[in-house]
Amino acid sequence: VNVSADRVQYRSVLPGVGNSGWQGSIRAKVEQELPLGLTLGASASYSSRDIMVQGRGAHNFGYNISLYKQFLNRRLSVCIDADSFIPVWYRQTRDTFASQYRAASWMRTFHASFSVSVRYTFGRLRGEVKESSLSLGNEDVKKDYDY
């Protein structure tokens, strides 16, 4: 679980321009091993409306459910994902304001996604440096400056 909270304060030299308030977010993820070598994962996130100089942005949320299985000594994995499928459509609201001005906008977006992914790992890179028993020397370096 990841949680963040911020106190935001914007100031301007222009009269009536500025904003302050709290904004935050939370994320959580959990996985459970199932019989037959399957793994079920679930995650969710929410972020509050952003504080902007002249208004507030839209809040956002999302979640994911995934089921995956690994084969061939963990080299091959197959994953099925479903993201934020209820509600399929998502409505966001944004507010913008200043002295003698206010605007509100609404946006409707398709919020769901589904995927199937296949991943194969061919090998691994090793982070080792091979040491050699050979050494290099240079005997023609001038060490004495007396003539």
Side-chain angles (χ1 to χ4, degrees), residues 11 25 31 33 39 55 61-62 66 83 87-88 110-111 116 130 137:
R11 295 181 184 167
S25 66
E31 284 188 346
E33 291 180 2
T39 302
F61 75 95
S66 63
D83 295 330
V88 173
F110 188 74
H111 204 229
V116 175
K130 204 173 195 181

Side-chain angles (χ1 to χ4, degrees), residues 11-32:
R11 295 181 184 167
S12 175
V13 295
L14 299 173
V17 177
N19 198 3
S20 65
W22 286 92
Q23 63 187 26
S25 66
I26 184 168
R27 293 183 57 92
K29 182 176 182 176
V30 65
E31 284 188 346
Q32 175 65 47

Side-chain angles (χ1 to χ4, degrees), residues 14-69:
L14 299 173
V17 177
N19 198 3
S20 65
W22 286 92
Q23 63 187 26
S25 66
I26 184 168
R27 293 183 57 92
K29 182 176 182 176
V30 65
E31 284 188 346
Q32 175 65 47
E33 291 180 2
L34 302 174
L36 304 174
L38 296 169
T39 302
L40 178 66
S43 64
S45 65
Y46 173 81
S47 60
S48 67
R49 298 180 70 185
D50 293 330
I51 306 293
M52 300 180 298
V53 175
Q54 293 180 299
R56 297 198 68 149
H59 73 278
N60 201 355
F61 75 95
Y63 60 92
N64 169 278
I65 299 171
S66 63
L67 183 66
Y68 71 91
K69 181 168 173 82

Side-chain angles (χ1 to χ4, degrees), residues 3-126:
V3 178
S4 72
D6 301 305
R7 172 78 176 144
V8 179
Q9 184 170 7
Y10 292 109
R11 295 181 184 167
S12 175
V13 295
L14 299 173
V17 177
N19 198 3
S20 65
W22 286 92
Q23 63 187 26
S25 66
I26 184 168
R27 293 183 57 92
K29 182 176 182 176
V30 65
E31 284 188 346
Q32 175 65 47
E33 291 180 2
L34 302 174
L36 304 174
L38 296 169
T39 302
L40 178 66
S43 64
S45 65
Y46 173 81
S47 60
S48 67
R49 298 180 70 185
D50 293 330
I51 306 293
M52 300 180 298
V53 175
Q54 293 180 299
R56 297 198 68 149
H59 73 278
N60 201 355
F61 75 95
Y63 60 92
N64 169 278
I65 299 171
S66 63
L67 183 66
Y68 71 91
K69 181 168 173 82
Q70 295 179 326
F71 304 92
L72 303 174
N73 290 334
R74 296 184 166 194
R75 288 182 166 263
L76 175 68
S77 63
V78 178
C79 183
I80 300 170
D81 278 311
D83 295 330
S84 304
F85 51 89
I86 298 173
V88 173
W89 292 95
Y90 180 60
R91 181 178 170 179
Q92 292 179 317
T93 304
R94 298 179 197 279
D95 296 318
T96 306
F97 52 81
S99 60
Q100 302 179 5
Y101 174 80
R102 181 175 176 99
S105 62
W106 296 272
M107 181 173 63
R108 184 177 172 216
T109 59
F110 188 74
H111 204 229
S113 70
F114 303 92
S115 67
V116 175
S117 61
V118 177
R119 184 178 75 194
Y120 185 80
T121 304
F122 291 98
R124 297 177 190 256
L125 293 175
R126 300 200 190 274

